Amino acid sequence: MVLLIFLMLVATGLGVAIVGSVALPAHRDGKGMLSARGTARVDAVRRRRPRTH
């Protein structure tokens, strides 16, 4: 069981390292994480979200 947990942590670490090695240089180059279509969808959801104040 300990081996399984250890291997899951290793796999998660590798996944984070791979995504980081791609996302960080792209972010430094000024590229956004979302496309124009994705940004529009996020904005639409934020406008429709009910206020919780």
Side-chain angles (χ1 to χ4, degrees):
M1 187 65 168
V2 173
L3 180 63
L4 179 64
I5 293 171
F6 176 73
L7 291 175
M8 288 174 64
L9 289 173
V10 169
T12 302
L14 285 172
V16 168
I18 290 169
V19 168
S21 69
V22 173
L24 289 177
H27 181 68
R28 288 185 187 133
D29 289 341
K31 296 178 183 174
M33 294 297 287
L34 296 175
S35 65
R37 183 177 174 191
T39 304
R41 286 187 178 188
V42 169
D43 290 340
V45 168
R46 285 184 179 159
R47 282 192 303 268
R48 284 184 276 161
R49 182 182 65 194
R51 300 287 179 192
T52 58
H53 298 278

